[in-house]
Amino acid sequence: MEKHYFCSIISMEKRNAALLRSYGRYLKLERNFTRNTLDAYLRDVEKLLEYAEAEGLEVKEITTQHLHHFAATLHEVGIAARSQARILSGVRSFFRFLRMDGRIESDPTELLESPLVGQHLPEVLSTEEVDQLEAAIDLTKWEGHRNRAIVEVLFSCGLRVSELTGLKLSNLYIEEEFLRVEGKGRKERLVPLSPKAIKELHLWFDDRRHMDIKPGEEDYVFLNRRGSHLTRTMILIIIKRLAEEAGIKKTISPHTLRHSFATALLEGGADLRAIQAMLGHESIGTTEIYTHIDTHTLREEILNHHPRNLISHPPKDGDDPAGALTTEYTI
């Protein structure tokens, strides 16, 4: 009996491993996911399969009730609500694949609810603060113009940090004033280059020409002192160090400049669909979360336009001779 049980467990593990490989091929070939995204999705599903094996469940036997219990176990081990929501999103994708592939008849995730996640808006920098960030850069150092170009391209183009580190000279169209970006899911988009970004790139290229660049790294725009392309961690260190030197107290990262880009466009009157295209978002809902109206601007709008903030005052000498009441705004 015990031998039969262990054989059954081993067989289940083999079937699940085969399922995971099939799902991985689907994500790579059909969804065109990058390596990092693919690995993240597979890790999420591995958590579910480990749960199913511990419960003695075949994948086709998993019900919505089982998934609710699985979600509860994520909470019990201390996984945050946002991470729980991400894992369950990966699980939904897995079951959609199984349904589409004819491996299951119904999708148990259709009635599965995700944990409530509070909307978190990252810090945002004003244009003046971005200027302050750039002004803190020491241009006497070899990396000075490079770092200015990094800050300006992040802010002017709204790139993800992975898009910046992967940016290549062959993707720049300086004369046409735009660049080509390969974003999530290897989807390409065109992003305009501002005159200031172009200026900073030219200054960096003047310094870059004198570098000893490693073979195979020649096409990357941003390089370290050893002639290799920069990593995401290095960009994070650069931005945090610059913020400290500029005296900016906000907790910022490269992502802050992307968010600042979107916020500046929104407050400048840009259409949300245009911002969505510039950021490379699949869903307009993601763009709505990414952007927000500055609280100061919102306060001014309320104070200046809401009828409860309009009060009447009697005229002073020399005011309206008809004695009509004048209206003024109060702050």
Side-chain angles (χ1 to χ4, degrees):
M1 182 72 178
E2 188 176 340
K3 183 179 179 181
H4 174 74
Y5 171 77
F6 282 113
C7 288
S8 177
I9 290 294
I10 292 170
S11 298
M12 184 186 296
E13 288 177 352
K14 286 183 177 179
R15 286 193 292 273
N16 287 346
L19 271 181
L20 207 58
R21 286 194 297 272
S22 296
Y23 181 52
R25 286 194 293 271
Y26 161 74
L27 294 178
K28 183 178 179 180
L29 301 176
E30 299 294 328
R31 300 290 298 277
N32 203 26
F33 278 0
T34 61
R35 184 76 251 175
N36 287 343
T37 304
L38 190 150
D39 288 344
Y41 270 68
L42 292 180
R43 281 195 300 271
D44 293 340
V45 175
E46 282 173 353
K47 289 183 175 64
L48 173 71
L49 296 180
E50 287 170 4
Y51 164 82
E53 288 167 12
E55 295 291 321
L57 289 169
E58 296 283 356
V59 169
K60 62 183 179 182
E61 296 173 335
I62 295 175
T63 64
T64 305
Q65 187 176 352
H66 290 132
L67 292 175
H68 281 303
H69 184 248
F70 168 66
T73 63
L74 297 177
H75 175 73
E76 287 168 3
V77 296
I79 296 176
R82 188 172 296 277
S83 296
Q84 291 176 41
R86 192 208 68 240
I87 292 169
L88 294 180
S89 175
V91 168
R92 286 189 182 88
S93 173
F94 177 60
F95 277 102
R96 282 196 295 269
F97 158 73
L98 296 177
R99 180 78 176 84
M100 180 190 66
D101 208 40
R103 297 172 186 262
I104 57 174
E105 293 183 4
S106 60
D107 183 355
T109 67
E110 288 180 351
L111 299 176
L112 180 65
E113 295 181 358
S114 289
L116 293 175
V117 179
Q119 181 172 319
H120 172 67
L121 294 173
E123 292 278 15
V124 60
L125 297 178
S126 65
T127 304
E128 292 73 23
E129 286 174 317
V130 175
D131 291 340
Q132 187 179 338
L133 203 64
E134 293 181 357
I137 297 171
D138 185 352
L139 296 180
T140 63
K141 295 182 178 179
W142 80 268
E143 72 271 19
H145 286 301
R146 181 203 67 183
N147 289 352
R148 267 209 183 184
I150 286 171
V151 172
E152 193 55 42
V153 169
L154 283 171
F155 178 62
S156 294
C157 302
L159 301 189
R160 299 178 177 94
V161 65
S162 57
E163 294 169 348
L164 183 88
T165 56
L167 189 61
K168 297 184 178 179
L169 297 173
S170 54
N171 292 335
L172 295 179
Y173 301 86
I174 300 291
E175 291 187 5
E176 292 81 3
E177 300 183 349
F178 72 87
L179 54 81
R180 188 174 72 246
V181 178
E182 186 179 277
K184 287 187 175 180
R186 296 177 185 169
K187 291 184 178 179
E188 290 190 345
R189 69 182 190 278
L190 300 178
V191 181
L193 272 169
S194 71
K196 190 166 192 317
I198 292 172
K199 175 188 173 184
E200 298 298 345
L201 282 169
H202 277 308
L203 291 170
W204 157 234
F205 292 154
D206 288 341
D207 294 337
R208 188 182 181 281
R209 290 188 187 97
H210 304 293
M211 292 185 65
D212 184 16
I213 301 174
K214 284 188 176 181
E217 303 286 297
E218 297 89 352
D219 199 24
Y220 285 99
V221 173
F222 296 110
L223 306 170
N224 60 29
R225 63 176 67 246
R226 295 180 298 280
S228 298
H229 69 278
L230 291 171
T231 63
R232 291 186 290 181
T233 302
M234 196 63 223
I235 299 292
L236 175 63
I237 291 170
I238 289 169
I239 297 299
K240 285 190 172 293
R241 189 174 294 160
L242 287 177
E244 185 179 343
E245 292 171 358
I248 295 174
K249 303 301 182 184
K250 297 175 179 178
T251 303
I252 71 168
S253 68
H255 187 72
T256 309
L257 290 164
R258 175 170 162 85
H259 185 67
S260 303
F261 160 85
T263 304
L265 284 179
L266 187 69
E267 292 178 352
D271 180 75
L272 203 59
R273 291 287 179 186
I275 299 173
Q276 177 190 4
M278 293 276 280
L279 291 172
H281 286 159
E282 275 194 33
S283 167
I284 191 69
T286 308
T287 312
E288 289 170 345
I289 293 171
Y290 237 103
T291 55
H292 70 284
I293 300 174
D294 179 72
T295 53
H296 175 74
T297 304
L298 181 60
R299 179 176 181 273
E300 292 299 313
E301 288 295 310
I302 292 171
L303 291 175
N304 290 333
H305 295 96
H306 196 283
R308 292 300 190 203
N309 294 313
L310 304 178
I311 64 172
S312 298
H313 292 282
K316 298 177 182 177
D317 292 340
D319 283 349
D320 183 1
L325 295 178
T326 60
T327 302
E328 63 181 41
Y329 300 113
T330 59
I331 303 298

